[in-house]
Amino acid sequence: MKTVKRIVAVLLAVMLMAPAAVNAAAPSATKTSIKNKKANATVTYNKKKQTPTVITINGKKLVVGKDCKIVSSKKYKNAGKYILTIEGIDNYRGKTDVVFTIKKAKQNIKTSVDQKAYKASALKKSKKKFALKPKAVSKKFTYTVKGKKAKKYISVNKKGKVTIKKGIKKGIYKVVIKTKATKNHKAGKKTVRIVIE
């Protein structure tokens, strides 16, 4: 009986010691330093003032508000490069500067038509005209008729008015519209098709 009691006592002692041993073996959590580390963040111009939501440091992405916080309160709107300062929180510590880049947005060109179709028979005796009426952030446009055959029968004036001369053959012809880059937008390009059936 005494032997049984001793065995029970030993087992209880071992069970009580086990959690303590596990806790003692567990390593203490250490914070990762971001002090003076190379950091960058990139967004695209969207007409609004912005700050980054994700910062990249040595290939690792830190979420703003979770892993770090932006020390400076200033927000930026226009495309360009800026310097922000962040401070680590939670598993990160220290401060570092971030190269914050706002990229230029894509510039879309809108036109009155994306494609214009005519019957070749309708162009045997008379020419046709239509206006492209392009719209974009940049107000200046250039027009190019693609191909030697197309240039023989199709022309576009400075105002974007297209003239199709009589006698044009069946086929698909293209007019390329371009506009230059602006402060916050890339150069724009669009192709309008003219289908002669």
Side-chain angles (χ1 to χ4, degrees):
M1 196 65 186
K2 288 182 179 180
T3 303
V4 174
K5 287 182 178 179
R6 285 178 183 175
I7 293 171
V8 172
V10 171
L11 289 172
L12 286 170
V14 171
M15 291 173 67
L16 290 170
M17 290 172 63
V22 171
N23 290 333
S28 57
T30 56
K31 292 190 175 184
T32 301
S33 175
I34 63 170
K35 185 177 180 180
N36 299 327
K37 299 289 185 181
K38 188 177 180 180
N40 60 77
T42 303
V43 298
T44 301
Y45 174 78
N46 65 0
K47 298 182 181 180
K48 301 177 182 178
K49 290 184 177 180
Q50 301 184 80
T51 53
T53 56
V54 176
I55 310 289
T56 301
I57 299 179
N58 292 337
K60 187 175 180 61
K61 296 186 183 298
L62 275 65
V63 178
V64 176
K66 178 184 176 184
D67 303 314
C68 62
K69 63 180 180 180
I70 298 172
V71 176
S72 54
S73 59
K74 188 174 181 180
K75 293 186 177 183
Y76 299 93
K77 179 180 178 181
N78 294 320
K81 290 189 175 182
Y82 308 93
I83 301 297
L84 302 175
T85 301
I86 61 168
E87 182 177 0
I89 56 177
D90 195 18
N91 294 324
Y92 299 89
R93 61 181 174 82
K95 292 182 180 180
T96 193
D97 289 335
V98 179
V99 178
F100 177 42
T101 303
I102 299 179
K103 298 190 301 182
K104 290 185 176 184
K106 182 180 178 181
Q107 185 175 182
N108 294 314
I109 300 175
K110 294 182 178 180
T111 52
S112 58
V113 292
D114 295 326
Q115 179 173 295
K116 197 77 172 176
Y118 295 99
K119 293 289 185 181
S121 56
L123 284 153
K124 281 186 176 181
K125 295 182 179 180
S126 63
K127 60 185 178 181
K128 297 288 182 182
K129 293 183 178 182
F130 70 93
L132 292 168
K133 298 180 181 179
K135 291 182 180 179
V137 175
S138 176
K139 306 298 181 184
K140 294 181 179 180
F141 303 94
T142 59
Y143 309 93
T144 304
V145 178
K146 302 295 289 183
K148 289 183 178 180
K149 286 184 178 181
K151 288 177 180 178
K152 183 180 177 181
Y153 291 102
I154 299 172
S155 62
V156 189
N157 66 16
K158 292 181 179 180
K159 293 184 178 181
K161 193 168 185 177
V162 180
T163 299
I164 305 171
K165 297 178 182 178
K166 61 183 180 179
I168 190 171
K169 307 299 181 182
K170 291 182 180 180
I172 297 174
Y173 303 88
K174 296 177 181 180
V175 175
V176 178
I177 308 166
K178 291 183 179 180
T179 188
K180 291 183 178 181
T182 66
K183 183 178 181 179
N184 292 309
H185 291 81
K186 298 176 183 179
K189 181 181 178 180
K190 181 174 182 176
T191 299
V192 173
R193 296 173 13 132
I194 299 171
V195 180
I196 309 299
E197 300 171 328

